[in-house]
């Protein structure tokens, strides 16, 4: 009993290490993954055998026997490993394969755990406790299931071993030993000896551990599973996104890949042996075997419908150019065809929209042409009207200027008959006022703009004329600092009269000794929103005790009233001579 216990513990620990070694040797390979999981599973079963050797009662022994309830999964692992090692990837690519392999074992394991239908009880042998099989249908089915999978696995491995060559045969040798050693020994100890009433301890876990050891040695020595051209080609064919049909020299289908099965809707057995026109009724068989076809648009006849595909064929020939078969590959272009149909529908709809929009644009264009013609006609009429009004306004300015000049001339003529000096000055001032207004209308008459004049040029002309009128001699200088500013006629006329009055006052009263300087400054403030006029002289100055706003002088009263008319301000600084500062804003409607 002690020896059997030690062996079970060694098997359990060995399987744990072998499972880790196998997995980390190539963790991305499915064979390594399944074999590592199988090794851990055998280690678990061996540990339950070890636990059962140290109990003293039948109840405790039965608990450990029940702990090994999923032992029938051993056969499922065997067939799974056999399919992987013999490269049956087309079978393993289907989900139903895993259901067939593992679902019956899962059902039997649940029955074994929850009922005594498979393991009825325990008994003591010379090597320790062992289970008593139940005389039931469930136990018979369990034996039948495990033996069937084991023998199928053995047949697959034997067939693969006999057909293999070179490195693949060396690989198959270790798989063959890993499968057949536990299979033969297990049949002997688990079935033949008990049938002959010769009791023997169960060494199936030990034999399975040895089988795993053989495969692990193959992995260590030959890097099992080694990559071979057959594995590569089978994997490529089974996983490629294009469908593939392989036909023999008799034009019969002998091989299809998974994509071809999926696309056609037929089972592999339904396709094999069928002629080419079974799935490709529109491809001429004689033409396909006489020359290769490239990018042929045709239809694949599936179970449900005809599927548009893009196919190419390649003829397989011997060295003597004898035809061995035909390879046909292609892809489903259903989505492409739907996209083309959608594109055509959209193009037709777009053409309709373009045609409709073109008609609308033509209609709008005709309407716009009529509107443009009407607009041009109205513009021409407006231009003619403006031209007429411009001529009329210029004529008005011209006539106003002439009338003012007539008034000035009449005043001048009348002044010849006046002997009183005071009255003569009044006539002369009135004459200058008329001239200052006439000068503005003359500027308006001569400029393109009929409302605005260059006020700097106007001040220069007016001041020069006044100097000539009063003939004060060379001792008086005129200084002009004028910014180029255009003023509206509504501001220019009152401001012109203000300039006339203030300049006249300076020329008459500021320089009794005939010497001095008269300065005129005009500029815009605050980005052209406000204007400033400064007229100053360095003459005798304005009397300190006299308020210029309350004097009886007509000229200063006129200056104050005209400043108010401009909504402006006027200030006097008589510290050094006389300096009048007038500030105003041009009215918005005048701009």
């Amino acid at each position: 009993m002690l020896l059997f216990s030690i062996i079970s513990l060694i098997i359990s620990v060995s399987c744990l290490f072998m499972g880790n070694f196998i997995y980390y040797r190539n963790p991305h390979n499915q064979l390594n993954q399944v074999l590592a999981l199988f090794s851990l599973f055998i280690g678990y079963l061996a540990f339950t055998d070890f636990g059962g050797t140290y109990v003293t009662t039948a109840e405790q022994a039965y608990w450990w026997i029940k702990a090994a309830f999923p032992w029938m999964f051993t056969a499922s692992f065997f067939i799974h490993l056999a399919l992987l090692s013999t490269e049956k990837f087309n079978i393993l690519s289907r989900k139903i394969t895993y259901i067939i392999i593992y679902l019956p074992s899962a059902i039997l394991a649940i029955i074994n755990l929850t009922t005594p239908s498979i393991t009825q009880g325990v008994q003591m042998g010379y090597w320790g406790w062992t289970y008593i099989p139940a005389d039931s249908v469930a136990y018979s089915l369990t034996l039948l299931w495990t033996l069937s999978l084991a023998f199928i696995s053995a047949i697959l491995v034997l067939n693969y071993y006999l057909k293999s060559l070179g490195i693949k045969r060396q690989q198959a040798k270790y798989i063959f030993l890993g499968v057949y050693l536990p299979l033969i020994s297990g049949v002997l100890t688990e079935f033949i000896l008990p049938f002959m009433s010769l009791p023997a301890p169960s060494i199936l876990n030990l034999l399975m551990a040895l089988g795993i050891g053989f495969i692990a040695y193959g992995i260590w020595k030959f890097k099992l599973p080694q990559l071979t051209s057959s594995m590569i080609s089978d994997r490529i064919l089974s996983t490629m996104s294009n469908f593939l049909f392989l036909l023999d020299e008799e034009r019969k289908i002998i091989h299809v890949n998974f994509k071809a099965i999926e696309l056609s809707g037929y089972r592999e057995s339904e396709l094999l042996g069928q002629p080419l026109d079974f799935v490709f009724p529109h491809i001429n068989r004689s033409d396909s075997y006489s020359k290769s076809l490239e990018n042929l648009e045709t239809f694949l006849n599936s179970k449900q419908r005809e599927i548009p595909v893009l196919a190419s064929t390649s003829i397989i020939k011997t060295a003597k150019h004898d035809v061995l078969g035909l390879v046909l590959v292609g892809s489903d272009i259903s989505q492409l065809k739907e996209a083309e149909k959608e594109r055509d529908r959209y193009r037709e709809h777009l053409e309709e929209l373009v045609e409709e929009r073109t008609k609308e644009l033509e209609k709008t264009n005709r309407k716009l042409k009529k509107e443009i013609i009407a607009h041009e006609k109205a513009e021409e009429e407006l231009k003619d009207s403006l031209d007429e009004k411009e001529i009329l306004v210029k004529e008005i300015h011209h006539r106003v200027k002439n009338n003012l000049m007539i008034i000035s001339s009449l005043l001048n003529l009348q002044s010849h008959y006046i002997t009183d000096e005071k009255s003569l000055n009044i006539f002369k001032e009135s004459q200058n006022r008329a001239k200052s207004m006439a000068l503005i209308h003359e500027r308006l008459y001569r400029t393109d703009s009929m409302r605005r004049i260059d006020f700097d040029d106007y001040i220069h002309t007016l001041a020069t004329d006044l100097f000539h009128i009063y003939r004060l001699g060379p001792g008086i200088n005129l200084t002009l600092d004028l910014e180029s500013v255009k003023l509206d006629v509504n501001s220019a006329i009152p401001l012109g009269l203000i300039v006339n009055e203030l300049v006249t006052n300076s020329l008459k009263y500021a320089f009794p000794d005939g010497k001095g300087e008269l300065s005129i400054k005009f500029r815009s403030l605050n980005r052209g929103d406000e204007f400033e006029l400064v007229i100053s002289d360095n003459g005798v100055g304005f009397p300190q005790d006299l308020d210029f706003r309350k004097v009886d002088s007509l000229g200063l009263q006129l200056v104050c009233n005209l400043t108010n008319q401009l909504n402006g301000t006027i200030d006097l600084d008589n510290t050094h001579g006389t300096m009048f500062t007038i500030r105003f804003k041009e009215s918005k409607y005048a701009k």
Side-chain angles (χ1 to χ4, degrees):
M1 184 182 295
L2 179 61
L3 177 61
F4 185 73
S5 176
I6 293 172
I7 292 172
S8 297
L9 182 61
I10 292 172
I11 293 171
S12 180
V13 175
S14 299
C15 287
L16 176 64
F17 279 103
M18 283 192 295
N20 280 276
F21 167 77
I22 293 168
Y23 177 77
Y24 287 107
R25 191 72 175 175
N26 189 355
H28 302 292
N29 185 270
Q30 193 177 2
L31 177 60
N32 290 56
Q33 295 170 359
V34 176
L35 188 58
L37 189 61
F38 182 46
S39 180
L40 297 176
F41 179 71
I42 297 302
Y44 167 76
L45 294 181
F47 184 77
T48 60
D49 288 343
F50 169 75
T53 58
Y54 281 94
V55 297
T56 56
T57 65
E59 289 79 7
Q60 293 173 336
Y62 188 67
W63 187 90
W64 281 102
I65 292 296
K66 282 292 185 180
F69 74 95
W71 60 267
M72 58 284 298
F73 273 99
T74 305
S76 299
F77 277 112
F78 252 88
I79 189 66
H80 194 170
L81 288 169
L83 291 171
L84 285 171
S85 58
T86 56
E87 303 175 3
K88 302 296 183 182
F89 301 117
N90 57 332
I91 298 176
L92 290 171
S93 63
R94 303 164 185 167
K95 294 180 181 179
I96 190 65
T97 301
Y98 298 94
I99 296 174
I100 294 173
I101 291 175
Y102 287 103
L103 183 59
S105 296
I107 295 172
L108 293 172
I110 294 171
I111 293 173
N112 189 24
L113 177 64
T114 57
T115 69
S117 300
I118 297 176
T119 304
Q120 183 177 348
V122 295
Q123 62 182 356
M124 175 64 74
Y126 64 86
W127 61 88
W129 295 99
T130 186
Y131 74 96
I132 301 174
D135 185 13
S136 64
V137 176
Y139 181 70
S140 301
L141 289 175
T142 303
L143 291 181
L144 179 63
W145 170 249
T146 54
L147 285 175
S148 300
L149 293 187
F151 277 110
I152 293 172
S153 303
I155 293 170
L156 287 172
V157 171
L158 178 62
N159 183 58
Y160 182 75
Y161 175 73
L162 295 176
K163 291 183 177 180
S164 300
L165 298 172
I167 187 69
K168 292 181 67 174
R169 192 174 185 87
Q170 291 179 341
Q171 295 175 8
K173 178 176 66 176
Y174 289 97
I175 299 172
F176 178 82
L177 292 173
V179 171
Y180 270 83
L181 179 63
L183 177 62
I184 295 173
S185 303
V187 171
L188 178 64
T189 58
E190 300 295 327
F191 297 103
I192 297 177
L193 292 180
F195 182 76
M196 298 173 61
S197 301
L198 297 173
S202 176
I203 58 172
L204 184 60
N205 291 337
L206 172 61
L207 298 174
M208 288 185 184
L210 290 174
I212 294 172
F214 275 112
I215 299 175
Y217 178 75
I219 291 174
W220 171 76
K221 185 174 182 180
F222 295 102
K223 296 182 180 179
L224 179 68
Q226 190 108 26
L227 189 65
T228 64
S229 59
S230 176
M231 292 171 64
I232 293 172
S233 60
D234 286 346
R235 179 57 60 91
I236 290 174
L237 293 179
S238 62
T239 59
M240 64 188 295
S241 59
N242 293 341
F243 61 80
L244 180 141
F245 291 86
L246 181 62
L247 295 89
D248 60 12
E249 67 277 6
E250 296 180 357
R251 298 176 174 83
K252 302 290 185 181
I253 299 173
I254 58 174
H255 181 77
V256 291
N257 68 347
F258 178 74
K259 187 65 177 180
I261 296 171
E262 180 185 48
L263 194 62
S264 67
Y266 293 103
R267 295 192 301 272
E268 183 179 7
S269 58
E270 292 177 311
L271 291 171
L272 298 181
Q274 296 291 343
L276 178 63
D277 54 12
F278 179 73
V279 284
F280 295 100
H282 302 288
I283 296 180
N284 192 302
R285 288 192 294 172
S286 58
D287 290 344
S288 61
Y289 272 78
S290 61
K291 60 180 180 180
S292 297
L293 304 174
E294 291 185 3
N295 299 327
L296 174 66
E297 287 193 17
T298 185
F299 291 91
L300 185 148
N301 192 16
S302 69
K303 268 190 173 182
Q304 292 79 19
R305 60 188 179 91
E306 282 192 337
I307 300 172
V309 296
L310 188 67
S312 298
T313 63
S314 179
I315 303 170
I316 305 173
K317 296 182 179 181
T318 64
K320 297 181 179 180
H321 301 286
D322 295 327
V323 176
L324 289 177
L326 180 75
V327 176
L328 188 149
V329 294
S331 57
D332 180 8
I333 57 172
S334 299
Q335 292 184 351
L336 178 61
K337 289 298 182 182
E338 287 297 324
E340 289 179 352
K341 289 181 181 178
E342 184 66 24
R343 180 200 62 194
D344 293 339
R345 286 194 295 268
Y346 179 75
R347 181 181 294 170
E348 291 176 0
H349 179 61
L350 185 62
E351 289 176 353
E352 291 176 358
L353 289 176
V354 169
E355 185 178 357
E356 182 180 349
R357 184 58 178 163
T358 302
K359 291 179 179 178
E360 291 179 359
L361 288 174
E362 289 176 351
K363 183 178 178 181
T364 304
N365 189 34
R366 288 193 296 269
K367 185 177 179 181
L368 284 174
K369 283 183 178 179
K370 291 180 180 179
E371 291 179 357
I372 290 171
I373 292 171
H375 178 75
E376 288 177 348
K377 184 177 180 181
E379 186 177 357
E380 187 175 350
E381 291 175 354
L382 180 61
K383 185 178 180 182
D384 292 341
S385 176
L386 287 174
D387 289 342
E388 292 176 1
K389 287 181 174 60
E390 182 178 354
I391 294 171
L392 180 60
V393 170
K394 282 190 175 184
E395 182 63 24
I396 291 172
H397 285 307
H398 184 60
R399 291 189 180 187
V400 170
K401 186 265 297 184
N402 289 340
N403 290 334
L404 289 170
M405 291 305 294
I406 290 171
I407 293 171
S408 177
S409 298
L410 290 173
L411 290 172
N412 184 40
L413 290 173
Q414 187 65 37
S415 65
H416 291 162
Y417 299 99
I418 298 174
T419 57
D420 181 57
E421 185 69 24
K422 185 176 180 181
S423 298
L424 184 63
N425 287 333
I426 292 173
F427 267 78
K428 186 180 290 187
E429 288 174 2
S430 298
Q431 182 182 357
N432 290 338
R433 289 168 188 149
K435 282 185 177 181
S436 70
M437 290 187 289
L439 186 60
I440 290 175
H441 286 283
E442 183 182 8
R443 290 286 190 277
L444 289 171
Y445 172 71
R446 297 182 183 279
T447 186
D448 292 334
S449 173
M450 292 174 289
R451 287 192 59 84
R452 306 181 74 82
I453 66 168
D454 294 323
F455 202 71
D456 55 320
D457 181 59
Y458 169 79
I459 292 176
H460 183 275
T461 303
L462 179 61
T464 304
D465 288 348
L466 289 173
F467 254 70
H468 289 307
I469 290 171
Y470 285 95
R471 302 172 186 165
L472 296 179
I476 300 174
N477 296 320
L478 175 64
T479 303
L480 300 176
D481 183 7
L482 307 174
E483 182 180 335
S484 179
V485 175
K486 288 184 178 294
L487 280 185
D488 183 82
V489 64
N490 294 323
S491 300
I493 291 175
L495 195 63
L497 289 172
I498 290 173
V499 172
N500 178 77
E501 295 301 324
L502 294 178
V503 171
T504 299
N505 279 348
S506 293
L507 293 176
K508 287 172 63 178
Y509 305 114
F511 311 110
D513 56 356
K515 294 181 180 180
E517 183 178 358
L518 174 63
S519 174
I520 303 175
K521 296 180 180 179
F522 184 66
R523 61 176 178 165
S524 62
L525 305 174
N526 300 325
R527 300 180 181 178
D529 291 337
E530 188 176 1
F531 301 94
E532 181 183 68
L533 172 66
V534 180
I535 299 177
S536 62
D537 63 66
N538 58 357
V540 295
F542 202 84
Q544 295 287 341
D545 57 347
L546 190 62
D547 186 356
F548 73 94
R549 292 183 178 85
K550 297 180 180 179
V551 296
D552 295 332
S553 170
L554 177 62
L556 288 177
Q557 289 179 5
L558 189 60
V559 168
C560 292
N561 291 333
L562 291 172
T563 302
N564 291 332
Q565 182 180 331
L566 290 171
N567 294 321
T569 62
I570 181 170
D571 296 304
L572 170 63
D573 182 5
N574 53 6
T575 306
H576 302 288
T578 303
M579 182 172 69
F580 284 96
T581 302
I582 297 169
R583 291 184 179 177
F584 68 96
K585 291 184 178 180
E586 194 171 16
S587 58
K588 293 183 179 179
Y589 69 83
K591 291 187 178 181

